Amino acid sequence: MSTITQDRVPGAATGPATRPQYRVTGRRVLRSEWSKLWTLRSTWITLGLGLLALLAFGTIAALRYKSLTSTGGRMDPDFADATSVSLTLFGVRFGQLALGVLGVLFAAGEYSTGMIRSTLAAVPRRLPVLWSKAAVYGVVAVLVGLAGAFGGFLIVDAVVSGTPAHLGLSGNEVLRALFGAGLYLALVGVIGIALGMLLRSVAGGISVLVAALLLVPGLVSLLPSSWRADVAQYLPSNAGESLYSLHPATGMLSAGAGALVLIGWTVLALAGAAYRLLRKDA
């Protein structure tokens, strides 16, 4: 009785086909977060609203200023010391809400849908998820902020040409203020990411963001006058305002000090988000 022998290739798999093993790398986590960001419909809508706020409100303010100067009537006190930069950045307070809220949605939305479990199963070390979200969204926010600041300045400066507000783009302080606006909006977006990961709630994150940027500065005015100035200048919104103000007002930090304070707030928020991400289950 003859036997049939089958030659086997050394090293060939004899069992069921195995799936290829993929390593979790920083580049792959970044690519994943980039894909998540642009698959959200809210991304396109909210970024569009943020950019529109920067362009539209600045243009409206410039047209209002132009009409006041051309008629020779009584100048509105809000426009008495207006410049091309201040008119351009009139919409920053509206743009910051759009970019900050989108940051919260991008981070906390995964907890609302339960997708965060799949994300953390794919990236067991967890922290790269936070850093990647912050990096991806920070880059997008700074690009939108710079596009709105520089695009709006070109429009506004053309509108107010021939008036005392006209500056031109050649001045160093003008460039510093416009770049400062982009940096401020990017850091607000990253703070939104941190709040979303920290609170794990879209409503909670948006509430804290709005309170920090809009409500707390108003409440500080209730403090005794001896404390008010010392506290107010270190709030995130006031520190950020020194970044994009052409000439910081009395009681405001310098641009460099304001940047350090705002970066400190951002690091503090990210540290809280990192701590909860490591210590608490999804």
Side-chain angles (χ1 to χ4, degrees), residues 52-98:
L52 180 63
L54 292 171
L55 297 175
F57 283 102
T59 303
I60 292 170
L63 292 172
R64 173 64 175 164
Y65 176 84
K66 182 74 171 181
S67 67
L68 291 174
T69 55
S70 61
T71 57
R74 182 175 177 272
M75 178 62 71
D76 191 319
D78 293 336
F79 293 100
D81 299 321
T83 64
S84 296
V85 172
S86 64
L87 295 171
T88 298
L89 302 180
F90 188 80
V92 165
R93 293 190 179 275
F94 302 94
Q96 69 180 355
L97 291 179

Side-chain angles (χ1 to χ4, degrees), residues 45 53-54 67 87 138 142 175 179 191 222 242:
I45 296 173
L54 292 171
S67 67
L87 295 171
V142 77
L175 293 174
F179 277 110
I191 289 174
L222 302 177
S242 66

Side-chain angles (χ1 to χ4, degrees), residues 39-274:
T39 53
L40 295 173
R41 183 181 302 174
S42 58
T43 298
W44 299 94
I45 296 173
T46 313
L47 289 179
L49 289 175
L51 185 59
L52 180 63
L54 292 171
L55 297 175
F57 283 102
T59 303
I60 292 170
L63 292 172
R64 173 64 175 164
Y65 176 84
K66 182 74 171 181
S67 67
L68 291 174
T69 55
S70 61
T71 57
R74 182 175 177 272
M75 178 62 71
D76 191 319
D78 293 336
F79 293 100
D81 299 321
T83 64
S84 296
V85 172
S86 64
L87 295 171
T88 298
L89 302 180
F90 188 80
V92 165
R93 293 190 179 275
F94 302 94
Q96 69 180 355
L97 291 179
L99 294 176
V101 165
L102 181 57
V104 175
L105 289 172
F106 183 37
E110 287 201 54
Y111 287 93
S112 301
T113 61
M115 186 178 177
I116 190 65
R117 297 185 183 89
S118 301
T119 298
L120 297 182
V123 189
R125 294 176 62 185
R126 296 193 174 194
L127 284 184
V129 175
L130 175 60
W131 309 143
S132 297
K133 282 184 183 294
V136 165
Y137 188 62
V139 169
V140 172
V142 77
L143 291 176
V144 171
L146 290 175
F150 280 90
F153 181 83
L154 295 176
I155 297 172
V156 168
D157 208 45
V159 171
V160 300
S161 178
T163 69
H166 176 71
L167 289 176
L169 195 58
S170 58
N172 290 333
E173 289 301 310
V174 172
L175 293 174
R176 190 269 305 162
L178 296 178
F179 277 110
L183 176 61
Y184 172 64
L185 293 172
L187 291 176
V188 168
V190 174
I191 289 174
I193 292 286
L195 290 176
M197 297 294 287
L198 175 63
L199 300 176
R200 302 183 175 186
S201 165
V202 172
I206 292 175
S207 298
V208 172
L209 180 75
V210 172
L213 296 178
L214 300 180
L215 298 183
V216 174
L219 294 175
V220 168
S221 63
L222 302 177
L223 294 175
S225 57
S226 58
W227 298 0
R228 194 180 306 154
D230 294 333
V231 173
Q233 61 184 344
Y234 293 103
L235 296 177
S237 57
N238 292 344
E241 186 176 354
S242 66
L243 280 175
Y244 59 83
S245 294
L246 194 61
H247 302 293
T250 304
M252 291 177 62
L253 297 172
S254 64
L260 291 176
V261 169
L262 188 58
I263 290 172
W265 282 111
T266 306
V267 171
L268 183 64
L270 287 172

